[in-house]
Amino acid sequence: MISNSIPGSVGWVVKTNDGSIVLMDEFIEVLARASMGRLDFDNLTSEELVEILVENKVLKNGEISINDLDNKVTNYDVAIILAKVDMKIRNHEQVISNIRYTDLKNIDEVGQALISHSVGRGFFKQSTTKIFNPDKTLTRAELSEIMYLFVNK
């Protein structure tokens, strides 16, 4: 069961990591609260939220495992999952931004298109350096800003 939530428009989970780095289970709960507010979060585990995202065809079965829930969240994770939620749950058409990041060469075309969608929709601020930094671990402050932009689009 998900616990220690602080009330708010999106909700935030307090975990016992270093206090500033976001874990995947925290991100999944915040995302679910932002995009599927009708759920009873007091009675759902992180694993059940992932199952709901699979049922809604946002994630593929096994895309996020139970072991992944304790991983730190990266720019790549957030951009990919937000784009999928935006298109699958919110039914928004895919957006391709015209920014070409130079550090996405090791990411397949589908991943690049999903990152482009998240940037094009304004969930991530566009960088003039043409660096997306997909492996960057997100802090709570950074994810809060991204989720604010996501919720208000």
Side-chain angles (χ1 to χ4, degrees):
M1 189 174 326
I2 299 168
S3 61
N4 299 326
S5 293
I6 298 171
S9 62
V10 176
W12 195 255
V13 180
V14 177
K15 293 287 183 179
T16 57
N17 63 17
D18 72 6
S20 64
I21 300 299
V22 181
L23 301 178
M24 183 62 77
D25 66 335
E26 295 173 298
F27 169 58
I28 293 297
E29 182 185 354
V30 170
L31 176 64
R33 285 180 183 273
S35 58
M36 299 180 287
R38 67 193 181 283
L39 298 175
D40 180 8
F41 293 98
D42 290 335
N43 295 311
L44 291 172
T45 64
S46 298
E47 293 88 355
E48 290 168 326
L49 289 174
V50 170
E51 288 174 21
I52 290 168
L53 291 172
V54 169
E55 290 168 8
N56 282 286
K57 301 190 184 326
V58 172
L59 299 174
K60 294 176 185 169
N61 195 19
E63 191 170 352
I64 296 179
S65 72
I66 291 172
N67 294 334
D68 294 332
L69 293 173
D70 290 330
N71 291 345
K72 296 175 182 178
V73 175
T74 64
N75 275 343
Y76 174 84
D77 298 326
V78 172
I80 297 296
I81 295 172
L82 287 183
K84 289 179 177 184
V85 167
D86 196 43
M87 291 185 285
K88 300 283 186 176
I89 292 179
R90 294 169 145 190
N91 298 314
H92 197 283
E93 289 185 30
Q94 187 170 9
V95 172
I96 303 296
S97 69
N98 58 5
I99 249 201
R100 301 287 180 240
Y101 292 108
T102 59
D103 60 344
L104 301 181
K105 292 179 176 107
N106 294 332
I107 296 175
D108 65 22
E109 286 183 31
V110 172
Q112 289 184 33
L114 291 169
I115 290 168
S116 180
H117 177 87
S118 286
V119 171
R121 287 278 285 135
F123 308 147
F124 286 78
K125 292 183 178 180
Q126 291 191 6
S127 166
T128 57
T129 64
K130 296 194 178 189
I131 301 291
F132 181 73
N133 201 359
D135 297 325
K136 180 185 182 305
T137 302
L138 289 173
T139 65
R140 291 172 188 269
E142 291 164 333
L143 183 62
S144 294
E145 181 178 358
I146 292 167
M147 291 307 298
Y148 175 82
L149 296 169
F150 177 78
V151 167
N152 289 293
K153 293 288 179 181

